[in-house]
Amino acid sequence: DDRGSDNLSYMDRVVMEVVESEAVYVRDLQQVVEGYLYFWRDEGERAPLSPEQAVALFGNVDDIYRFNSQFLTQLQSCGLDPVEVARCFVRNNSGFTIYTDYCTNYPRKVSVLTDLMRNEAASRACRERQTQLQHTLPLGSYLLKPVQRILKYHLLLQNIVKHCDRSQTPGYTDIIVALSAMTGIAHHINDMKRKHEHAVRVQEVQSLLDGWPGEDLTTYGELVAEGSFRMYGAKAPRHVFLLDRMLLI
């Protein structure tokens, strides 16, 4: 934008933050995709991780990079118009669903990376890449960025709504629709992460039940709550798991 920074209104700055933070984010995605994923893919058998580990670790980060690169180009063509920026979010609403898979499987990425860091050769390879790419942050911090970003969009849009003069903004409803859509995606992703964590927990409990006569625990629905209590006169505490269709003590 060719206006001097002194002439920018507060709203201009709020919109600018959305666009500029998106540009930084896309640059970070590029570092992960080209600096790590594609670099190691090109190394073939010399790579510090197997193709299966690479899939588990990076997931669909290259799809996210492609999607957000296009999204950034569209955002940059909006100037500093909050309504156009909002419409850009609405137009791309279905595209953001690629984050669900990445975020749901994020705990798995952490465990794969932890395993790699315990391996001396893999750990050294990660440090070497970090040095060559001149990153102050390690790979793990970059892999967290898509999770942080998708959960931040609704907050950035909230900021636009807060500083928007309803009566002076034709297209105000478009901004509300964008906020609603991105809030919905954030809720959906948090919900899927919670469901995923609960499913893993149920599998853990199942593996601890020696000689369990019933159906597999996963057939009793989602884990709703868990806790423990002490019975009068009993030494060991009782553990309680409430599933959709069973109370297990």
Side-chain angles (χ1 to χ4, degrees), residues 74 78 81-93 170-172 174-175 178:
Q74 292 175 35
C78 295
D81 182 341
V83 175
E84 279 308 312
V85 165
R87 285 174 181 153
C88 197
F89 274 97
V90 175
R91 275 199 308 274
N92 286 281
N93 188 31
Y172 179 82
D174 290 337
I175 302 176

Side-chain angles (χ1 to χ4, degrees), residues 55-149:
V55 168
L57 186 61
F58 293 101
N60 60 343
V61 72
D62 45 348
D63 292 335
I64 290 174
Y65 169 52
R66 278 190 289 274
F67 167 73
N68 279 86
S69 298
Q70 292 168 348
F71 179 59
L72 173 62
T73 305
Q74 292 175 35
L75 275 182
Q76 288 169 330
S77 68
C78 295
L80 292 177
D81 182 341
V83 175
E84 279 308 312
V85 165
R87 285 174 181 153
C88 197
F89 274 97
V90 175
R91 275 199 308 274
N92 286 281
N93 188 31
S94 61
F96 286 109
T97 54
I98 57 171
Y99 278 86
T100 305
D101 187 51
Y102 187 93
C103 295
T104 304
N105 290 308
Y106 179 71
R108 172 92 180 105
K109 298 179 198 313
V110 174
S111 69
V112 170
L113 189 59
T114 306
D115 289 344
L116 282 172
M117 287 304 149
R118 288 193 186 118
N119 174 309
E120 202 183 319
S123 173
R124 191 172 57 247
C126 284
R127 283 197 306 274
E128 281 170 5
R129 281 315 295 145
Q130 188 184 335
T131 306
Q132 283 162 349
L133 293 163
Q134 297 180 319
H135 288 176
T136 50
L137 298 171
L139 173 59
S141 300
Y142 280 87
L143 291 173
L144 178 60
K145 286 177 188 287
V147 181
Q148 292 172 322
R149 189 66 182 165

Side-chain angles (χ1 to χ4, degrees), residues 143-183:
L143 291 173
L144 178 60
K145 286 177 188 287
V147 181
Q148 292 172 322
R149 189 66 182 165
I150 193 68
L151 298 177
K152 194 179 180 189
Y153 284 127
H154 70 292
L155 302 175
L156 291 165
L157 288 163
Q158 244 167 29
N159 215 9
I160 290 180
V161 170
K162 201 162 65 182
H163 296 97
C164 211
D165 183 347
R166 190 174 193 155
S167 59
Q168 298 293 312
T169 313
Y172 179 82
T173 50
D174 290 337
I175 302 176
I176 296 297
V177 168
L179 172 60
S180 169
M182 296 316 290
T183 304

Side-chain angles (χ1 to χ4, degrees), residues 1 9-10 20 25 31 41-42 94 99 104 106 143 150 158 169 180 184 186 191 194 213 218 228 247:
D1 196 85
S9 69
Y10 194 82
E20 288 183 352
Y25 170 58
Q31 295 289 307
R41 193 180 281 172
D42 290 345
S94 61
Y99 278 86
T104 304
Y106 179 71
L143 291 173
I150 193 68
Q158 244 167 29
T169 313
S180 169
D191 196 39
R194 185 180 53 77
T218 52
S228 59
L247 178 66

Side-chain angles (χ1 to χ4, degrees), residues 188-203:
H188 175 66
I189 282 173
N190 279 323
D191 196 39
M192 295 308 286
K193 274 164 70 181
R194 185 180 53 77
K195 278 188 162 67
H196 180 76
E197 282 157 16
H198 286 184
V200 169
R201 182 71 179 129
V202 169
Q203 285 164 353

